[in-house]
Amino acid sequence: MSTVLRTPARTAGPTHAPRPWAAVSALARFEARELRMITSVFGTAILYMVWTGYEVARRQGDFPVLQDVDRDTQIMPILFGLVVMMNVNRGVLRSRRYGTDRHFDVLVVEPWRRTVAHVLSVVPAALFTAACVTFQFSWAAFKPGAAGTGSLAELAVGPLTVLLCGAGGVLLARLFPSVFAAPLLLVVLLFGMMFVATPAGPAWTSRLSPVVTFSGASPFPSDMLGRLAGWHALYLLGLVLFMALLAVLLSGGRTTVVKAAVAGSLALTLVGVVGQSQGTPAAALAARERGSVTPEKVRTCVEHGKSSYCAFPEWTSRTDDWAAVADRVQSLAGGRAGTERLTVDQRLDARNGLDSDTQLSPSGAPGHVSVGMDWGGNRVPEFAVAVASVLVAGDEKAASELCDARVVTIMWMALRGASDPMGSLRDVRLDDSDSGSAFVLSPTESFGMSAEQTRVVAELLQKPRYDVAGKVKAKWTELTAPKTSIERVAELLGVPAAGKTTDGADEDGRAGSCEE
């Protein structure tokens, strides 16, 4: 009898079903990390942060307009997105370059899933862009002098541009598996933006570019812009989805769901194109007409002291700054001008579009002073000149026709209270000079300033304020009389006459007059 030894059968352990989406997630994280460590991407990200720091520290100034700031966030993402596109394209083609494509056949991650992973690897770059955009806009929004209203659709353009470039890099690798295709496409895109998507061409083609440029002459209230930012963001989102899903389809993901998603994203893109091509909305055109012709129906008036300041709703926070300048100038005036009630009107003319630079006509209403939409920098002394002109001449129309010695009183009142009077004198003159004749800028029409008037004003600005202020108040009636000569004004204010220095030496020069 023989004994047969039987080895008991080994009980099979639990089998684990493949988890392809977990592998897709792991591959996406790996590719995102690889993308982040590439020198060109890392260097461009550092450049992006430095540029953002420069924008918030220097270019925005203390009085940013938020509907312009949101568009300023769209510039740098174009460069960052193009760098991402080039390197994502190289990442997709890495296995082809190294001859390892055949090894992927034994993995649970099909080619179309690997394409999804490459598309997802761009998301961290888009989130980085969103963080920079948020920081840049928030820094401006929290400044005390900020005005206007930002648009979420405009702020979304930067991150969407990076996603678009990344999806385009993946799609290009699936269409043309060559490392030379991406640089050639970059050249084509640059030429396309130069010759097709430009303001000189049809309006709808200019909006096909990720960033739609406008050369606005000055800030405008947000309800007058009519930029169709929401439609443009929808167009970019649809284009991102279409490129990504088309790349998946070309990689073998030819399921009914993917095909339907490709068709849906294409439809979404076309809806965005049609929406953003409809032209300036009727509501924006009506707002431009109303704000230009009958601004009193739109503006909000705020009382500061004895004067009234009327601003468009988004600019009411600026009235404190206007009042500080107006009070400073009026404190130097004499006679009734020192207690006159002023009305400061914020004005614009948007009837010819955002890129027009229409000069405001001077107001003939007594005591009314115009102020524009910009503030800070040279706009401050220009507004001070407008206030002083109205206090001396009575109204802006009369002030624009001045060419006599009253210009000296106007310029001294406007500039003496500034932190740098001589610098403000140069800022407010058309040629940035502090000697000779020149035109003086103001929110409305400019007026002329002769060489002798400039000489007298420059000497007055270098004298102590208290030394001149008492003389201006005491001799106000004579200083603001149209018939008072420049020689008499210089004598009243203690400035040597033309041809004499402070020690009596002769110099070349003569008095300025309306005929000069």
Side-chain angles (χ1 to χ4, degrees):
M1 179 178 180
S2 61
T3 303
V4 178
L5 297 178
R6 298 178 179 271
T7 303
R10 180 176 297 177
T11 304
T15 59
H16 297 279
R19 300 173 58 194
W21 288 112
V24 169
S25 177
L27 180 58
R29 292 195 301 271
F30 170 80
E31 291 294 344
R33 184 169 59 252
E34 289 293 307
L35 184 65
R36 184 177 65 246
M37 298 307 295
I38 296 175
T39 303
S40 58
V41 176
F42 182 77
T44 307
I46 296 297
L47 178 62
Y48 192 173
M49 291 188 288
V50 171
W51 180 85
T52 302
Y54 173 77
E55 282 285 309
V56 301
R58 298 290 299 277
R59 290 193 59 185
Q60 286 180 356
D62 295 326
F63 302 94
V65 178
L66 299 184
Q67 52 260 41
D68 290 343
V69 174
D70 58 11
R71 297 191 63 81
D72 291 340
T73 63
Q74 302 172 7
I75 300 172
M76 196 62 184
I78 297 177
L79 175 61
F80 185 57
L82 292 176
V83 174
V84 168
M85 180 190 75
M86 300 285 289
N87 288 281
V88 167
N89 181 266
R90 288 180 60 85
V92 177
L93 298 176
R94 187 188 308 116
S95 59
R96 183 179 183 86
R97 294 198 312 271
Y98 295 150
T100 58
D101 272 340
R102 63 184 181 278
H103 298 302
F104 289 143
D105 295 337
V106 299
L107 300 179
V108 297
V109 183
E110 300 96 323
W112 69 270
R113 294 185 192 271
R114 293 199 298 274
T115 299
V116 172
H118 283 290
V119 172
L120 293 177
S121 69
V122 185
V123 172
L127 294 177
F128 167 77
T129 305
C132 291
V133 167
T134 302
F135 174 76
Q136 183 178 346
F137 181 80
S138 300
W139 188 277
F142 285 109
K143 287 184 177 180
T149 307
S151 168
L152 287 176
E154 297 282 14
L155 294 173
V157 169
L160 286 174
T161 298
V162 175
L163 286 176
L164 179 64
C165 290
V170 176
L171 176 61
L172 189 64
R174 294 311 184 197
L175 287 173
F176 308 102
S178 171
V179 294
F180 300 105
L184 290 176
L185 177 65
L186 181 59
V187 174
V188 172
L189 289 175
L190 292 176
F191 274 93
M193 287 188 289
M194 289 175 58
F195 296 106
V196 179
T198 62
W204 70 271
T205 60
S206 65
R207 298 179 183 274
L208 296 180
S209 173
V211 175
V212 182
T213 58
F214 285 96
S215 56
S218 65
F220 288 92
S222 55
D223 62 340
M224 299 185 186
L225 298 180
R227 288 174 174 162
L228 306 171
W231 290 110
H232 186 67
L234 182 66
Y235 155 71
L236 290 180
L237 177 61
L239 197 57
V240 168
L241 295 175
F242 175 71
M243 286 187 173
L245 292 168
L246 184 59
V248 172
L249 185 66
L250 295 174
S251 301
R254 296 181 178 85
T255 63
T256 304
V257 174
V258 173
K259 293 178 181 178
V262 170
S265 62
L266 179 59
L268 189 66
T269 304
L270 294 177
V271 168
V273 170
V274 174
Q276 70 178 0
S277 303
Q278 58 185 306
T280 306
L285 294 175
R288 295 177 187 178
E289 182 73 17
R290 184 169 55 251
S292 303
V293 179
T294 56
E296 63 277 2
K297 296 181 179 180
V298 182
R299 293 185 306 222
T300 300
C301 294
V302 180
E303 299 293 326
H304 287 280
K306 57 181 174 291
S307 298
S308 179
Y309 298 82
C310 300
F312 288 93
E314 295 173 322
W315 268 261
T316 53
S317 61
R318 296 273 173 87
T319 56
D320 292 338
D321 301 290
W322 301 340
V325 175
D327 291 344
R328 183 192 76 200
V329 174
Q330 194 168 18
S331 68
L332 300 176
R336 296 180 56 185
T339 58
E340 182 181 353
R341 176 181 173 82
L342 297 175
T343 301
V344 175
D345 298 321
Q346 188 178 38
R347 299 170 59 197
L348 56 77
D349 191 347
R351 289 172 292 180
N352 295 325
L354 302 182
D355 57 350
S356 64
D357 191 13
T358 305
Q359 186 179 37
L360 297 175
S361 59
S363 172
H368 281 251
V369 184
S370 299
V371 65
M373 310 301 292
D374 272 323
W375 188 248
N378 295 2
R379 305 292 87 80
V380 177
E382 289 175 14
F383 174 67
V385 168
V387 174
S389 299
V390 170
L391 290 174
V392 171
D395 61 73
E396 289 182 338
K397 187 173 181 59
S400 66
E401 299 171 355
L402 285 179
C403 59
D404 51 54
R406 287 177 289 178
V407 171
V408 172
T409 305
I410 290 172
M411 296 303 292
W412 180 82
M413 289 172 53
L415 306 177
R416 189 59 191 89
S419 58
D420 180 11
M422 290 301 295
S424 296
L425 175 62
R426 290 187 290 270
D427 290 341
V428 84
R429 287 159 63 96
L430 186 61
D431 60 354
D432 298 325
S433 66
D434 56 13
S435 62
S437 61
F439 283 101
V440 177
L441 302 174
S442 74
T444 56
E445 291 184 357
S446 58
F447 58 86
M449 188 176 183
S450 71
E452 178 61 13
Q453 292 166 355
T454 303
R455 183 190 70 83
V456 174
V457 170
E459 293 206 22
L460 288 175
L461 292 177
Q462 298 177 56
K463 290 177 175 289
R465 174 175 173 174
Y466 62 84
D467 186 32
V468 182
K471 298 175 182 178
V472 170
K473 290 180 181 291
K475 304 295 182 180
W476 179 259
T477 301
E478 190 172 0
L479 288 172
T480 57
K483 296 183 179 181
T484 304
S485 66
I486 185 66
E487 293 88 351
R488 180 57 178 164
V489 169
E491 180 184 351
L492 291 173
L493 299 178
V495 176
K500 298 289 184 180
T501 62
T502 55
D503 58 2
D506 291 336
E507 284 189 347
D508 294 332
R510 65 187 183 87
S513 66
C514 291
E515 291 77 29
E516 187 176 4

